[in-house]
Amino acid sequence: MLSHPQLLTDPFLQRPTENSVRVVWFTEFAGSHHIVAYGENFSQIVTATTTKLSRAREDQNSQVEQVYQQTTRRHIWRHEAEVTGLIPNTKVPYRVTSVREDGQSVSSNTFALAAKPLPGMPLKILLTSDHQLKPMTAANLQKVVETVGVVDAVFFAGDLVNVPDRASEWFDDRRGCAFFPCLQGRANYQLTKNNIQTLYQGGELIQNAPIFTAIGNHEVMGRFSSDSCLDDQFDDTLPRQVAEKILTPRILNADVRNSQDSCLGTGDDWVKDYSFNTDTYEEIFTLPESQEGGKKYYAVTFGDVRLVVLYVTNMWRTPSLAANARGKYKECDRILNNPENWGYGQHIFEPIKQGSTQYQWLESELNSVEFKRAKYKVVMFHHPAHTLGDHIVPAYTDPVQIIERDADGNIKAVRYEYPKQQDYIIRDLVPLLETSGVQLVLYGHSHLWNRFVSNNGTHYLETSNVGNSYGAALSEKQRTVPSGYQQEYTATGNPYGLEPVVPAIAPLLGSDGQPLPYVASNDITAFSILDTETGIVSSYRFDTRNPDREVLKFDEFRLKSNK
């Protein structure tokens, strides 16, 4: 006898317009029909469209009750319905119902949806990133709700999970801190500090507020394989041009295409299957789209905010120079004669340098009427522009490959240099944003909180301290950088001139008793809220070692209004 059906997630809100919003949820059954009921007495009904995730899988490293001996496809269905006829600035109750093939049904709790808010509507927006199932994520989001209540939107600057094709990281990792449960108040994470165990459930956020996301390096999956584990596939990215050059002859061979290791796609799809893709991320979310970038980069007006989301991230590689390291600065010694297995350094997934398609789209967006008339102009992407974190080194630029050969022409080393003066974020992107009047640039990647402000008043905020922090490169703590290379790589501080701002209200103190310009802790978690009524960005911290203590506001700054 079949058990009663369950929803894999609560519904969440996507892509609001002036009179509509999308409602999305997931199940592990295709079902016979799925609906959203909304309005007074839930008298209005809209039927959902159902699709199936094409790359959702589990493997031997999945943290789920079922034990997988090999990489296995997981059958997950996505349901989406567009609720129309909404009145701006008016919340409407709703719930979803899914009916299984045997006729048994399951419904969600009741939540509230709304169309896109009009300018002038006061909003509270959560600014966050780098959840990645980290230990303090559930606590962080639970404290958001306990501190500020229901938010009106979530701006998420990338790295939602760790391995994007591993389904359980999105839905039901048994450790209790998967992506959707944490953002829907359905987490079940036991955090132990000072021998005190505290259960955190995350926060009920995205059932009632839309989430807007940017692509981080952990939303990008590497070369597809039917037998290797998902962690290996995630790490195995190739630049597009390398995949085309090296693998085209093999792909055109019918025996290869029909083998177990063949790609999923047909036609041009093989390029992403043998290089990298964001398919699972794009299948999960219904985001605003640009003609040039689709869901990868886009812009949307939300109340008084014009949010511009960019695809600015690259492949993370280890800084190690060990012989077996396929890293930022070198290739693994044992694979020097196999270029298709090289890592190609920290190669960039989508160009942002001047003249690129994304850069040209951004120029057009920054000159648009919607952008110019917005009270607050916010740009969000993943890779840091300014930070004390490790991940700002080396420079955000295309790796310069240097192949060293012996007297017989054999490869003895492959190294990578990253010219600092060619950092595309600093050289090309930042000047464009600052001259266009952007007030806030939001990013993540380094798992800490720090902020900067330029001479013209552009604020740079990294608010990604939800656990597993790698520290801030100041004083004794230094980044792992190579010596003997042509380039000089900055071991401490922010390489690009701006000094970090000490929190305005209650900074943490260092061992010397001096205020610290950052939060980089595996005990203290931080989050930030943009209040559009005042233009103030407030940051809060919570010490998980003392679960009974209050959340503390430790910093705030005001965005200069465009009106």
Side-chain angles (χ1 to χ4, degrees):
M1 182 177 178
L2 288 175
S3 61
H4 191 75
Q6 295 181 327
L7 302 179
L8 190 55
T9 67
D10 269 347
F12 64 103
L13 303 181
Q14 294 276 264
R15 200 172 179 173
T17 70
E18 289 75 9
N19 58 14
S20 70
V21 69
R22 311 289 183 94
V23 179
V24 178
W25 69 103
F26 293 86
T27 63
E28 289 191 274
F29 55 88
S32 58
H33 64 280
H34 309 267
I35 62 168
V36 177
Y38 64 101
E40 187 176 355
N41 299 320
F42 302 106
S43 58
Q44 300 181 74
I45 304 292
V46 60
T47 301
T49 299
T50 296
T51 56
K52 191 175 184 181
L53 297 185
S54 66
R55 295 177 184 252
R57 292 170 287 165
E58 304 291 356
D59 67 356
Q60 54 269 47
N61 295 322
S62 295
Q63 296 290 321
V64 289
E65 295 303 321
Q66 180 177 346
V67 176
Y68 291 88
Q69 300 299 329
Q70 61 184 9
T71 302
T72 305
R73 185 175 184 185
R74 186 165 168 191
H75 303 288
I76 294 174
W77 284 266
R78 179 185 191 270
H79 316 289
E80 176 179 330
E82 184 174 16
V83 176
T84 60
L86 300 176
I87 300 172
N89 298 351
T90 302
K91 290 187 175 293
V92 175
Y94 81 98
R95 66 187 179 204
V96 304
T97 298
S98 287
V99 181
R100 201 167 56 189
E101 292 86 341
D102 62 358
Q104 291 198 58
S105 66
V106 56
S107 297
S108 71
N109 291 335
T110 299
F111 306 107
L113 55 76
K116 187 165 63 173
L118 296 174
M121 178 74 172
L123 306 172
K124 291 181 180 178
I125 299 172
L126 171 63
L127 312 177
T128 189
S129 74
D130 295 82
H131 290 184
Q132 296 180 252
L133 290 82
K134 299 305 181 188
M136 294 192 294
T137 303
N140 182 287
L141 297 173
Q142 181 170 318
K143 294 304 174 180
V144 169
V145 174
E146 292 177 1
T147 305
V148 301
V150 176
V151 301
D152 298 289
V154 177
F155 292 177
F156 200 122
D159 279 9
L160 289 68
V161 294
N162 289 303
V163 178
D165 282 3
R166 183 174 287 131
S168 51
E169 294 196 10
W170 295 99
F171 303 113
D172 55 1
D173 186 288
R174 68 181 174 190
R175 290 167 291 188
C177 55
F179 176 80
F180 282 108
C182 280
L183 281 161
Q184 296 188 323
R186 296 161 61 94
N188 185 35
Y189 193 80
Q190 296 279 358
L191 185 64
T192 302
K193 297 289 182 179
N194 295 338
N195 295 319
I196 301 173
Q197 191 174 73
T198 307
L199 175 66
Y200 293 102
Q201 296 180 308
E204 189 177 291
L205 294 161
I206 60 175
Q207 297 100 318
N208 305 294
I211 182 171
F212 300 96
T213 58
I215 295 174
N217 54 297
H218 281 273
E219 278 65 72
V220 183
M221 197 72 184
R223 286 189 282 183
F224 175 81
S225 170
S226 59
D227 51 10
S228 64
C229 75
L230 294 173
D231 300 86
D232 289 345
Q233 293 177 50
F234 169 75
D235 286 332
D236 193 22
T237 62
L238 276 179
R240 294 271 200 247
Q241 65 272 23
V242 173
E244 291 176 340
K245 180 179 179 180
I246 293 180
L247 298 174
T248 296
R250 293 181 56 201
I251 303 306
L252 294 178
N253 183 309
D255 292 337
V256 172
R257 177 171 288 280
N258 293 328
S259 73
Q260 277 194 326
D261 293 326
S262 66
C263 61
L264 288 174
T266 59
D268 293 336
D269 282 350
W270 69 264
V271 178
K272 67 181 179 183
D273 288 327
Y274 279 90
S275 55
F276 59 86
N277 72 85
T278 54
D279 284 11
T280 294
Y281 167 84
E282 293 187 64
E283 289 178 2
I284 284 176
F285 295 102
T286 297
L287 299 166
E289 297 185 32
S290 64
Q291 183 175 350
E292 295 83 353
K295 299 178 183 179
K296 294 183 175 71
Y297 51 90
Y298 59 87
V300 63
T301 297
F302 192 80
D304 284 325
V305 177
R306 183 67 172 177
L307 174 66
V308 181
V309 178
L310 301 178
Y311 184 9
V312 180
T313 190
N314 55 5
M315 182 61 194
W316 184 87
R317 302 277 185 210
T318 177
S320 173
L321 297 177
N324 64 346
R326 184 175 65 167
K328 303 176 192 285
Y329 305 108
K330 65 175 291 295
E331 294 292 357
C332 176
D333 290 357
R334 73 176 186 279
I335 60 171
L336 292 179
N337 293 315
N338 298 289
E340 70 177 73
N341 293 325
W342 292 354
Y344 293 89
Q346 293 202 160
H347 56 90
I348 292 170
F349 294 123
E350 180 76 20
I352 190 58
K353 64 183 177 181
Q354 188 171 4
S356 67
T357 300
Q358 184 176 194
Y359 185 93
Q360 291 175 334
W361 170 82
L362 178 60
E363 283 185 306
S364 177
E365 161 58 28
L366 298 180
N367 284 301
S368 69
V369 173
E370 293 85 355
F371 181 85
K372 288 181 178 295
R373 72 185 179 192
K375 185 176 182 181
Y376 301 114
K377 302 172 176 65
V378 178
V379 174
M380 179 172 72
F381 49 85
H382 184 64
H383 197 92
H386 297 280
T387 186
L388 299 174
D390 286 351
H391 296 338
I392 200 169
V393 173
Y396 191 83
T397 189
D398 294 308
V400 177
Q401 187 182 75
I402 301 168
I403 300 178
E404 299 177 358
R405 299 180 184 272
D406 61 21
D408 297 323
N410 300 310
I411 297 175
K412 64 178 185 179
V414 177
R415 298 190 296 108
Y416 296 98
E417 297 274 8
Y418 302 82
K420 184 176 175 181
Q421 68 274 17
Q422 294 180 24
D423 187 300
Y424 301 139
I425 296 175
I426 299 299
R427 188 193 71 183
D428 299 340
L429 179 56
V430 163
L432 183 61
L433 300 181
E434 293 196 359
T435 57
S436 300
V438 172
Q439 298 113 310
L440 177 63
V441 182
L442 172 67
Y443 45 84
H445 198 35
S446 288
H447 297 207
L448 49 71
W449 179 98
N450 57 180
R451 71 175 177 95
F452 305 79
V453 59
S454 67
N455 291 334
N456 72 349
T458 301
H459 295 271
Y460 295 87
L461 176 64
E462 179 175 4
T463 180
S464 57
N465 191 87
V466 296
N468 198 39
S469 178
Y470 310 120
L474 279 181
S475 303
E476 300 85 15
K477 202 279 183 184
Q478 297 188 2
R479 302 181 183 97
T480 302
V481 296
S483 59
Y485 277 55
Q486 295 176 9
Q487 300 295 317
E488 291 186 7
Y489 300 102
T490 307
T492 60
N494 171 33
Y496 296 109
L498 294 185
E499 291 296 321
V501 178
V502 174
I505 300 174
L508 293 171
L509 302 180
S511 58
D512 58 359
Q514 296 302 306
L516 297 174
Y518 61 84
V519 178
S521 172
N522 289 311
D523 297 313
I524 299 171
T525 187
F527 62 88
S528 300
I529 301 290
L530 167 59
D531 185 336
T532 65
E533 185 174 25
T534 61
I536 293 176
V537 178
S538 300
S539 292
Y540 302 82
R541 56 180 164 90
F542 171 64
D543 192 335
T544 62
R545 295 169 297 186
N546 300 289
D548 294 330
R549 289 190 181 177
E550 295 293 321
V551 172
L552 179 67
K553 182 192 290 190
F554 69 93
D555 182 63
E556 69 177 26
F557 60 91
R558 188 185 300 270
L559 304 181
K560 184 179 179 181
S561 172
N562 188 45
K563 296 181 180 179

